[in-house]
Amino acid sequence: MKTSNKAIEPARPVQLRSVHQAVTVIRTPTTDEVRPTPAMAYHSYLNLISNYDQDRTAIDQMIESIVSSLDNIQLLTDANAQRQEVDHLSRAYPFIEMLYSLDAEGTQLMDSAYGRQVTEPKRRTMGRGSDRSNRPYFLAASQNRRKITVTEPYLSSATHRLAISAVLRFDHDDGTTAGYLVLNLNLQRLIAYLSHDQLRYRFHPLFQAVYTLIGALLLVVAGLLLWSSGELLFNIFTQPTNVATEAFGVVILITLGLAIFDLGKTILEEEVFVHKNIHHHGSTERTIVRFMSAILIAVSIEALLLMFKSLLGSTNQLNQAVFMMLSAVALLIGLGIYRKLSQKESN
C-alpha cells in the first residue's frame, strides 16, 4: 500500500465503529479510499455494502474472535511470527489478506505479511517504514479506548476493492501505547464465506461466459429472423401474390425476432452485465417477472395474429388462436398471483 504525496484536505468527522462501541474520529483523505470509476462497477459495491449491513453483527463478532487470537505483543516485532500467523489464518479464513504492525506513531515496523489468497499481490508494496498515521483505521484505533477497532468498509488503493481493517492495540504496563497490529480483510470473500458461496464465486466467471454465449446466440437468431422478415417484405413489393398472408408472415417473423431478442437481452442484463444476489428474493423475482413478461408478450401477439388470419379465411387456426390466448391469460394470472405472494413474503 503506497503512501500519498498529495496535500491533505481539511479533516472531516466520520463515524467509525469499534466492536464494542462507536467512536467519532477526525478522518482525513488517504490513498486507501479512492472514488469508484465506471470500470470498477463489476465489484457491485452497493450489493456488498447492503450484505455487510445485514450481517454486521455476525461479521463484527467473527472479526473480534479472529483478532483476539493475535493478542501476543511479540507479533509487533517478529516478522516470521506474523507470516506464520497470517498463513495459518488465511487457510481457515480465505478472506484474510495481510497482516502488519505499526508503532505508536503509525509507522509500519516491518514488511507486510500476505495471506495465501491475497488479491492482486503484484500491485501491493511491502510497506516497511510507511507512514500510516493518517489512515482511517489508525485514527480510529488511536482514539478508541477499546483494544479492538473495526473500520467500516473502504476502497483499497491497491486493489480498488472493498476491504475492512481490524486493529489490535498493545499497551505497556504504564498505559502507554506499544503499537498496533492491523489485519486487512477482503469484504467480498468475507460475505461469500458467511453465506457459504465460495464455490459459486469460483465458478461465477464460467457461468457468466456460458450466459454470454447463450445470450449472444439468441441475439444472432433474432437478427436472422429480422433479416428474413426484411427479405419477405421485399418480395411482397417485387413479387406480390397473396399480400395479406405474406404480410402476416412478416409480422410473425418480426414478433418472434422481438421475443427472442428480448429474451437474449434479459439473459445478458440479468446474468452478465448486472450483479444478481441469488440470496435476495427481490433479485430472483425481478428475473422471473422479466422472463415471463417476454414470453407473455410473444404468446399474446401470436394469438392475435392467428385470430386475424382466421378472419381472412384460415378458419382452421381459430381454435389454436383461442387456446393460445387462453394460455396467455393463464400466464398473466399466474404471474399476478406470484407477484402478490412475493410482496406478502417480502413484507
Side-chain angles (χ1 to χ4, degrees), residues 37-322:
T37 63
M40 302 181 327
Y42 67 91
H43 292 304
S44 304
Y45 297 135
L46 292 178
N47 181 69
L48 285 177
I49 293 296
S50 176
N51 289 339
Y52 170 79
D53 290 336
Q54 293 177 5
D55 301 325
R56 183 186 295 266
T57 302
I59 291 174
D60 286 350
Q61 291 175 352
M62 173 179 289
I63 295 176
E64 180 183 13
S65 64
I66 293 173
V67 175
S68 298
S69 67
L70 302 175
D71 194 3
N72 183 357
I73 197 170
Q74 294 181 354
L75 288 174
L76 288 177
T77 55
D78 192 339
N80 290 329
Q82 285 188 16
R83 286 191 290 267
Q84 291 176 3
E85 284 290 346
V86 75
D87 182 75
H88 173 72
L89 288 174
S90 62
R91 289 173 182 267
Y93 307 106
F95 51 84
I96 293 179
E97 296 206 322
M98 57 190 299
L99 176 70
Y100 53 92
S101 56
L102 310 175
D103 62 16
E105 303 300 325
T107 302
Q108 187 165 338
L109 297 174
M110 297 175 297
D111 290 336
S112 303
Y114 294 140
R116 289 177 165 266
Q117 301 184 35
V118 61
T119 306
E120 301 185 33
K122 294 182 179 180
R123 299 186 59 181
R124 298 179 181 270
T125 57
M126 300 309 290
R128 180 196 292 267
S130 299
D131 181 14
R132 304 186 184 276
S133 59
N134 64 340
R135 303 300 170 89
Y137 49 82
F138 178 80
L139 294 173
S142 61
Q143 299 185 26
N144 187 10
R145 296 180 180 180
R146 303 288 182 177
K147 289 193 64 174
I148 299 176
T149 303
V150 180
T151 69
E152 296 286 345
Y154 63 90
L155 282 174
S156 169
S157 62
T159 63
H160 293 174
R161 302 196 182 196
L162 286 173
I164 294 178
S165 291
V167 185
L168 176 63
R169 189 182 70 248
F170 293 94
D171 296 326
H172 292 297
D173 294 337
D174 59 0
T176 59
T177 300
Y180 302 88
L181 202 62
V182 184
L183 189 66
N184 281 5
L185 315 173
N186 183 294
L187 182 60
Q188 182 177 4
R189 290 178 181 168
L190 174 58
I191 298 298
Y193 179 87
L194 289 176
S195 57
H196 304 286
D197 268 356
Q198 301 99 311
L199 187 61
R200 186 176 66 87
Y201 272 104
R202 290 182 182 179
F203 284 95
H204 184 64
L206 175 61
F207 295 155
Q208 278 192 319
V210 173
Y211 278 120
T212 301
L213 178 61
I214 294 174
L217 291 177
L218 287 174
L219 295 182
V220 170
V221 172
L224 292 176
L225 289 173
L226 294 176
W227 177 268
S228 298
S229 66
E231 287 186 335
L232 185 57
L233 183 61
F234 179 78
N235 291 334
I236 292 176
F237 287 103
T238 57
Q239 301 174 357
T241 54
N242 191 338
V243 176
T245 303
E246 292 178 350
F248 275 114
V250 173
V251 175
I252 291 174
L253 289 175
I254 292 176
T255 53
L256 285 177
L258 174 63
I260 294 176
F261 175 81
D262 191 55
L263 183 60
K265 182 174 71 72
T266 301
I267 290 176
L268 292 176
E269 288 179 346
E270 293 291 328
E271 304 296 342
V272 180
F273 299 143
V274 179
H275 177 83
K276 183 173 69 173
N277 181 11
I278 63 173
H279 300 287
H280 192 274
H281 178 74
S283 178
T284 304
E285 178 188 358
R286 183 190 67 214
T287 302
I288 293 176
V289 170
R290 292 196 62 181
F291 274 108
M292 294 302 297
S293 298
I295 296 173
L296 181 60
I297 293 173
V299 172
S300 300
I301 292 176
E302 292 302 318
L304 288 174
L305 290 176
L306 288 176
M307 285 186 176
F308 290 149
K309 290 180 70 175
S310 65
L311 294 177
L312 295 176
S314 302
T315 56
N316 58 330
Q317 295 182 348
L318 181 60
N319 291 335
Q320 297 178 4
V322 172

